[in-house]
Amino acid sequence: MLLRLDVADTRPLHEQVAGAIRRAIAEGECAPGDRLPPARDLSQALGVNVNTVLRGLRALRDEGVLEFRRGRGVTVAQGADGRSALLDRVREVLADAARLGYGKDDVIDMIREVT
Amino acid sequence: MTERTARGNATTWGATAWVVGVLVLLVVFPLTARDRLPDRLATHWGASGEPDDSMPFWAVTLLPALIWLLIAAVAVLGLWRARRSTGTALASAPGWAGITLGFTGVTLLGAQASIVRANLDRTDWRDAGSATGWVIATLVGATVVAVAAQWAGRRARLTVPPPSGPAMEIPKGQRFVWLSRTSNRWLHLLAAVTGILTLAATAGAVAGLGGGLEGTVGAASFALATVALLACSSVQARVTEKGLEIAFGPLGWPARRWPADTIASAWAEHRTAMQAGGWGYRLSGLGTTVMLRGGECLVIRTVKGKDFAVSVDDAERGAALLNSLIGQRAK
């Protein structure tokens, strides 16, 4: 699988790792049900600590993008590709909103108003 | 058409002539000396140089020829499959086919000549002379021929220019990383079997069964086989801005690294175990191949002209990223 990272990214490393994996899934690098490379491989390839990678992976599990299964490693959750692409767009919306002075709750209210 | 096809045809003719020539010689040797040979010929010699086993004349004439036909058939099948799957001429043929044909051909011819010579002008096979000197000379000759065949194969291979590999655009300010891994469940299974044998041999040695030294040597060799099989049973490939890194086994150790500036070119190629010379870590006329499954392989050529291949999925993009990284570095 091919992972892309922004050199100028100022977010914490674990978020960057999660972002790179989320993007790879959204672009079809790994399909739902596919096994992700072990955290140790990812950490060596990305040049980040294993714990940082694991933190990123756990965040993705909490988002419902990844599934941790004993004995099978980390797999991509069903429907994760669509969901992860959508989440990316929501994040963009939130960033745009913040720039315009709207908080998360304002955006949620706006979404409620939209029919 | 091209020089490569011409060389391929010349190789085909050379191989055919060698197979037929050795076959004819193997049968003709004993037949020409028929009148000066006993009915049964000494075919095996003890450690002291005394003959200790014999075969009837017809078996001595036909058996080596049959063995030779079988080996030649396997080699020809290998060449044919290699040609069909790559579509290229014999310049990329497996080096082991040439080595096998050269080595076994000379060995069989030498053995046949030794047998005929040792039995010449004797009335009974028990009186046959010693063949030790001849056997040693044969093995030396066969090794020389095998080394020459390997060298010729490598030269033929190196004259083929590396395929211009794929490349990919790396946008400014972005860092790309490529990962892939393959495992072979049969090698895993085999490693499990030798692992169990290691335990059994160790337990046997500890219990004092079957001699102390032999038991220890047995356990150690099984342990070594287990480690080697495990290391060859799975492989991880990584392409980062540092270059290519190949890690073996479940522990990711041992590992081999090629910094980007030592690699001349990378490409993806379809290879089979037949071409690479078997499963696992293989040295052949194609260079080094880590063969865990037939199919797509990531191949690199170092600036020194050595080839290294590893069977991993998605090799095309790995090669593309590697080429782009090499290009970036060159700028």
Side-chain angles (χ1 to χ4, degrees):
Chain A
M1 85 191 268
L2 191 70
L3 294 174
R4 295 147 209 260
L5 289 167
D6 268 321
V7 178
D9 204 333
T10 51
R11 286 181 296 165
L13 270 176
H14 62 93
E15 280 181 27
Q16 291 187 36
V17 171
I21 293 169
R22 199 183 289 124
R23 182 168 172 183
I25 293 170
E27 283 172 6
E29 288 282 337
C30 22
D34 278 359
R35 212 194 296 192
L36 223 60
R40 203 167 38 93
D41 278 19
L42 287 170
S43 93
Q44 275 168 352
L46 296 168
V48 229
N49 190 289
V50 184
N51 291 315
T52 313
V53 172
L54 282 172
R55 194 167 164 195
L57 293 182
R58 274 198 293 272
L60 289 175
R61 178 192 57 185
D62 296 343
E63 279 177 24
V65 175
L66 297 179
E67 279 172 10
F68 289 20
R69 290 211 201 121
R70 199 162 298 161
R72 280 212 60 209
V74 179
T75 52
V76 179
Q78 292 299 326
D81 38 355
R83 188 187 155 80
S84 133
L86 191 64
L87 265 174
D88 260 357
R89 276 157 65 195
V90 170
R91 237 175 238 105
E92 273 171 35
V93 168
L94 280 177
D96 285 349
R99 210 177 305 129
L100 295 172
Y102 295 107
K104 208 185 241 180
D105 291 333
D106 299 327
V107 177
I108 293 173
D109 286 340
M110 279 182 207
I111 292 171
R112 286 225 177 82
E113 282 164 28
V114 177
T115 46
Chain B
M1 280 182 294
T2 62
E3 198 190 332
R4 256 176 84 175
T5 337
R7 188 188 289 129
N9 283 332
T11 319
T12 314
W13 283 114
T16 314
W18 173 248
V19 169
V20 174
V22 170
L23 187 67
V24 169
L25 282 178
L26 283 177
V27 178
V28 163
F29 259 152
L31 282 181
T32 47
R34 178 77 193 97
D35 300 337
R36 295 167 65 192
L37 292 172
D39 287 339
R40 284 186 81 83
L41 277 73
T43 52
H44 194 269
W45 281 263
S48 58
E50 291 292 305
D52 62 2
D53 202 3
S54 68
M55 269 190 199
F57 177 78
W58 61 267
V60 171
T61 315
L62 293 181
L63 202 62
L66 281 178
I67 294 172
W68 175 244
L69 271 182
L70 200 70
I71 287 165
V74 169
V76 166
L77 193 72
L79 289 177
W80 178 71
R81 280 197 52 172
R83 171 182 262 192
R84 214 178 55 146
S85 56
T86 56
T88 54
L90 287 168
S92 61
W96 60 264
I99 296 167
T100 311
L101 282 181
F103 187 82
T104 47
V106 173
T107 308
L108 284 173
L109 278 180
Q112 191 76 317
S114 318
I115 288 173
V116 169
R117 196 186 153 79
N119 287 286
L120 209 58
D121 296 327
R122 318 276 164 149
T123 47
D124 192 84
W125 66 269
R126 283 174 204 88
D127 305 328
S130 168
T132 315
W134 281 84
V135 168
I136 291 170
T138 301
L139 285 179
V140 169
T143 310
V144 168
V145 167
V147 169
Q150 159 109 26
W151 183 74
R154 185 164 290 168
R155 267 189 55 128
R157 173 78 187 164
L158 275 184
T159 51
V160 182
S164 58
M168 74 167 60
E169 187 78 25
I170 305 179
K172 220 173 171 58
Q174 289 214 5
R175 212 182 118 210
F176 281 24
V177 164
W178 178 85
L179 304 118
S180 186
R181 61 190 287 134
T182 333
S183 59
N184 184 318
R185 72 174 63 175
W186 294 107
L187 288 175
H188 268 302
L189 197 70
L190 215 57
V193 170
T194 53
I196 292 167
L197 288 175
T198 310
L199 287 181
T202 314
V206 167
L209 296 169
L213 183 67
E214 281 160 37
T216 315
V217 168
S221 48
F222 277 132
L224 201 68
T226 310
V227 170
L229 280 169
L230 263 186
C232 283
S233 63
S234 70
V235 64
Q236 299 118 48
R238 284 191 285 273
V239 175
T240 63
E241 65 268 43
K242 279 182 264 172
L244 173 68
E245 191 171 304
I246 306 286
F248 298 92
L251 299 174
W253 187 91
R256 281 193 74 177
R257 288 175 191 84
W258 288 266
D261 49 5
T262 62
I263 301 170
S265 160
W267 66 95
E269 198 173 289
H270 186 97
R271 283 191 186 177
T272 60
M274 204 72 157
Q275 286 168 285
W279 306 102
Y281 197 94
R282 291 286 150 181
L283 304 168
S284 68
L286 290 171
T288 308
T289 309
V290 179
M291 175 58 64
L292 295 187
R293 54 130 183 80
E296 204 182 2
C297 290
L298 171 64
V299 192
I300 59 160
R301 178 158 300 166
T302 62
V303 284
K304 284 183 187 158
K306 281 195 178 133
D307 282 8
F308 179 90
V310 55
S311 59
V312 286
D313 294 335
D314 194 27
E316 183 83 25
R317 285 197 312 168
L321 179 56
L322 210 45
N323 282 329
S324 303
L325 289 169
I326 298 164
Q328 264 187 355
R329 197 157 281 233
K331 263 182 225 161

